[in-house]
Amino acid sequence: MISVEEARKNILSALSPLTSETVSISEACGRYLSENITPRRTQPPADLSAMDGYAVRAADVQTVPVTLNVVGEAPAGGSYDSPLGAGQAVRIFTGGPLPEGADAIVIQEDTTREGDRVTVLEGVASGRYVRKKGLDFTEGQTGLAAGRKLTPRDIGLLAAMNVPWVSVYRKPRIALLATGDELVRPGEPVGPNQIISSNTLLVAAMIEQAGGIAIDLGIAKDNEQSLRQMAAGARSADMLVTLGGASVGDHDLVQSILGKEGLQIDFWRIAMRPGKPLMFGDLNGIPMLGMPGNPVSSMMCSYLFLLPAMLAMLGQPPRLPKTTPAILGNPLNENDRREDYLRARITGQKTGIPVIETVPNQDSSLLSALSGADCLLKRPPFAPALSEGAAVEVILLDTDFPPC
């Protein structure tokens, strides 16, 4: 068996970023930029007023009250195109461009006006209430860097930069193939020796949430013809993920059958619980990840291996789930040689730090325990026994990994 870290390193080293595609910014939220974005204009394009009031020369209003001649208006979308002379003011509105010679705004609350004369009651310094040209961004500079995952805020920025299209990494297409005579889909008739297939939907949801495209190839029977035919559906995918059939029992046929089709195995067991019988290899140029059949195991392997693999395809540097400090609410025995990921619930807080209790039954088939868990307690191989109240590190579930 190899370690979790070595397995992840082998997987990531075998992957490269996908090609890019051009999409409208209306469809770009959540996508990863494949190139730097530069503004196509300067914002603001000129010195603009930040308030309703009067554009003035600051030197004219240092001693107040002072009365100025109103020589014109500068509304948003319009302008006053003559230079502003000494003793003059221009009525201006928020977003209006300052006329040449003006360097400050007196807000209208600090003035009184009669006809074409305005009396300034409060003086202002140069630059007051002025949004300088290029304050937000400048044409030609780097606005957003390659590799960034676009947020709704970024979409607004792209629109303001007059960028209608962006180049983004193509979404990873992940083909999912469940295996086993015992499996039926949700809602189908269930025979006396059959179970509902939940893995495909669980992993597909994780793929879609992480920015990929899940391709459900169906459920292959435990025979060579079925598995070979259904695995052929992954030829247009960026990765094939099999669910079940990755162990060494007589009916675990993935490795033996796909080996005849060109599957080259890198590894097939890791020192991890749950998820020991994880397989990774290459099927005629398509990376292949063979996951265990138990639903908790497949979720854990997806979280620790598939999602980082998708990030690599999206041009992202290696990134692991973040851990956060916690206080253990129950004792734990020493760990064996496998890296352990225990499902746990947050039961309270102590001095602002969450208190967690591990789920009593850690069986890898228990989906209710997985659904009810808030976090994972990672325990290294041969970790010593822990008493209640021990300081630990946990991985919070349903957090932004990868950001979705």
Side-chain angles (χ1 to χ4, degrees):
M1 292 189 293
I2 65 174
S3 69
V4 171
E5 185 56 36
E6 185 178 356
R8 187 159 42 226
K9 181 179 178 181
N10 287 9
I11 293 172
L12 296 181
S13 65
L15 302 172
S16 300
L18 300 176
T19 56
S20 62
E21 60 184 0
T22 300
V23 300
S24 165
I25 61 172
S26 64
E27 301 173 346
C29 190
R31 305 293 296 274
Y32 289 86
L33 287 175
S34 59
E35 63 183 24
N36 293 341
I37 302 297
T38 58
R40 299 173 62 194
R41 70 191 305 268
T42 294
Q43 178 68 20
D47 291 351
L48 303 181
S49 174
M51 302 289 284
D52 291 348
Y54 293 87
V56 300
R57 301 185 339 152
D60 290 342
V61 295
Q62 295 310 296
T63 301
V64 293
V66 61
T67 301
L68 306 175
N69 294 320
V70 181
V71 294
E73 288 191 351
S79 64
Y80 178 78
D81 297 326
S82 298
L84 191 67
Q88 294 181 334
V90 166
R91 180 74 168 110
I92 199 166
F93 300 89
T94 303
L98 270 67
E100 181 184 346
D103 62 352
I105 304 297
V106 176
I107 60 174
Q108 62 186 26
E109 294 89 337
D110 292 338
T111 66
T112 60
R113 182 172 176 177
E114 292 184 9
D116 291 336
R117 305 272 286 173
V118 63
T119 298
V120 176
L121 305 176
E122 294 286 342
V124 292
S126 178
R128 183 63 169 164
Y129 299 123
V130 176
R131 294 174 180 153
K132 299 295 290 184
K133 178 180 179 180
L135 175 66
D136 199 352
F137 50 80
T138 304
E139 182 178 352
Q141 73 179 56
T142 298
L144 293 171
R148 184 181 182 90
K149 186 178 183 181
L150 294 173
T151 68
R153 301 185 303 279
D154 296 329
I155 301 304
L157 176 58
L158 288 167
M161 292 192 300
N162 196 26
V163 176
W165 303 87
V166 290
S167 180
V168 295
Y169 287 105
R170 184 169 54 78
K171 290 186 175 184
R173 294 168 53 85
I174 312 297
L176 300 175
L177 178 59
T179 67
D181 291 336
E182 76 279 13
L183 299 178
V184 296
R185 292 181 178 275
E188 292 182 346
V190 184
N193 300 311
Q194 292 184 306
I195 59 173
I196 308 298
S197 175
S198 58
N199 283 12
T200 300
L201 291 172
L202 185 157
V203 177
M206 296 179 72
I207 291 168
E208 297 283 346
Q209 187 181 56
I213 298 173
I215 305 170
D216 185 357
L217 298 182
I219 301 172
K221 298 297 183 183
D222 285 329
N223 63 71
E224 184 169 343
Q225 181 180 3
S226 176
L227 184 56
R228 181 187 295 115
Q229 288 180 345
M230 298 192 75
R235 288 172 182 165
S236 63
D238 300 303
M239 176 178 278
L240 169 63
V241 175
T242 60
L243 301 165
S247 189
V248 292
D250 292 339
H251 295 284
D252 292 329
L253 306 175
V254 171
Q255 187 171 166
S256 60
I257 293 175
L258 294 187
K260 300 176 183 178
E261 298 297 308
L263 176 64
Q264 299 294 316
I265 296 296
D266 185 308
F267 64 82
W268 66 273
R269 287 189 304 170
I270 56 175
M272 169 182 164
R273 180 178 44 245
K276 174 184 173 182
L278 181 75
M279 179 193 308
F280 179 69
D282 181 280
L283 181 60
N284 301 317
I286 300 172
M288 181 266 189
L289 197 59
M291 293 191 187
N294 280 329
V296 176
S297 299
S298 61
M299 179 271 180
M300 208 70 67
C301 290
S302 296
Y303 204 67
L304 297 175
F305 303 104
L306 177 57
L307 297 191
M310 289 177 58
L311 285 173
M313 294 179 189
L314 290 164
Q316 300 300 293
R319 187 162 82 247
L320 301 179
K322 293 181 180 179
T323 60
T324 189
I327 298 171
L328 186 61
N330 59 275
L332 289 175
N333 295 327
E334 62 181 354
N335 195 20
D336 61 15
R337 62 175 179 163
R338 288 196 276 171
E339 191 169 296
D340 208 352
Y341 289 83
L342 303 176
R343 281 128 280 160
R345 299 188 183 98
I346 297 174
T347 59
Q349 282 195 349
K350 183 178 294 186
T351 63
I353 299 176
V355 176
I356 62 106
E357 291 185 4
T358 57
V359 175
N361 191 336
Q362 293 286 328
D363 189 282
S364 59
S365 67
L366 301 182
L367 278 169
S368 59
L370 177 64
S371 179
D374 302 304
C375 57
L376 301 173
L377 172 56
K378 174 185 173 181
R379 303 198 72 205
F382 305 108
L386 294 175
S387 58
E388 181 179 345
V392 294
E393 294 283 328
V394 296
I395 299 169
L396 297 178
L397 296 173
D398 298 326
T399 53
D400 196 24
F401 175 76
C404 59

